[in-house]
Amino acid sequence: MLTVHHLGKSQSERIVWLCEELGIPYDLKLYQRQPNFQAPAEYKALHPMGLAPVITDNSVTGGDLVLAESGAVVDYILGRYGKGALRPGPEDAAFADYLYWFHFANGSFQPAVMRVLIARRLEAPAEHPAVQIGVTRLGMMLAMLDTRLRDVPWLAGAAFTAADIMPVFTLTTMRHYAPYDLTPYPNILAWLQRVAARPAYQRAMQKGDPGMELLLG
Ligand SMILES: N[C@@H](CCC(=O)N[C@@H](CS)C(=O)NCC(=O)O)C(=O)O
C-alpha cells in the first residue's frame, strides 16, 4: 500500500491532491508542525532529509520504498499508479509545456518565494540588492504565470495535468508564511478558482488540512 505522510500546511498537500485526482487507494498519515515550524521527530525519522513530502510504499518488490522530494514523488506515483493520467507523453504537443511548468514550480518559483520569506524574517532592508533581486524575480515569475494562464486554461495547455498541481502550494498555503498579493494577476486568480472547483482538490484539502483557510484569492 502507498502511504502519504502529510505534514500539515506543507508541500505534501500536492501528494494528497494527486492521489485524490487519480482516485487510487492510499493511506494518509497526518503530522503537525512543531512550534518552530519544523516537522516532528517522527517525520524527520522517515527520510534523511526529514522534509515533506515523504511517501512509503510496501507494494514494491525488494523491500519498502521511502521516497521524498515533491517532483520525484509525483513522477513516481504517476508512473507506478497513474495509468497515463495527468501527464502528456513525449508525442503529445503539450509535452514540453508540461515539463516546463512542472519543473518551474519547485525549480524556480518556490525558491523565489522562500528567498523573499527569508529576507523578511532577517528584516533585510528593502534596498539590499539580494532583496531587490528576489522581489523583482518573484514579480517576473508571477507575470509570466499570469500571461500563460491568459492564453490557456491549464499550465500544460487544454488539459489539467500534474503541472497544475505542482505550483498551487506556493500560490496558496505558502502565503500563510510569506504573504504576497495576487490581485495584479487576474489570470492566476481565475485558474485558482478552477483549481478550487475540482472535487479532488477539495477532498485533499479537507483530509490533509481540515480547517485551514485556503488562500485562493
Ligand atoms: N524541495 C522539497 C522541499 C521540501 C520542504 O522544504 N518541505 C517543508 C514543508 S513545505 C518541510 O518539510 N518543512 C519542515 C521542516 O523544515 O522541518 C520538496 O519539494 O520535497
Side-chain angles (χ1 to χ4, degrees), residues 7 10-11 14 33 37-39 44 51-53 69-70 106:
L7 177 67
S10 87
Q11 297 184 55
R14 296 174 175 132
R33 290 179 187 258
F37 299 111
Q38 296 268 301
K44 295 276 176 211
L51 298 175
E69 198 63 49
S70 297
N106 258 15

Side-chain angles (χ1 to χ4, degrees), residues 98-214:
Y98 170 79
L99 289 178
Y100 178 75
W101 293 104
F102 184 99
H103 290 283
F104 164 81
N106 258 15
S108 296
F109 185 46
Q110 173 68 13
V113 176
M114 275 304 283
R115 182 180 179 141
V116 170
L117 171 67
I118 290 166
R120 280 186 196 155
R121 294 241 167 113
L122 292 174
E123 298 180 8
E127 63 277 11
H128 192 291
V131 177
Q132 286 188 346
I133 290 171
V135 169
T136 304
R137 280 202 193 145
L138 177 57
M140 185 257 288
M141 289 179 202
L142 289 167
M144 188 177 69
L145 262 172
D146 197 64
T147 301
R148 174 69 179 160
L149 291 165
R150 179 196 65 199
D151 299 336
V152 286
W154 302 107
L155 285 169
F160 174 85
T161 68
D164 296 290
I165 293 179
M166 287 295 288
V168 166
F169 167 83
T170 310
L171 288 154
T172 56
T173 306
M174 186 65 189
R175 287 193 288 138
H176 282 287
Y177 306 109
Y180 60 91
D181 185 17
L182 285 180
T183 51
Y185 308 104
N187 302 301
I188 294 178
L189 289 172
W191 168 76
L192 285 176
Q193 290 310 308
R194 292 194 284 281
V195 164
R198 297 185 74 80
Y201 178 77
Q202 294 165 10
R203 283 196 304 275
M205 301 315 288
Q206 184 53 39
K207 288 181 184 178
D209 288 278
M212 179 179 76
E213 185 189 359
L214 303 181

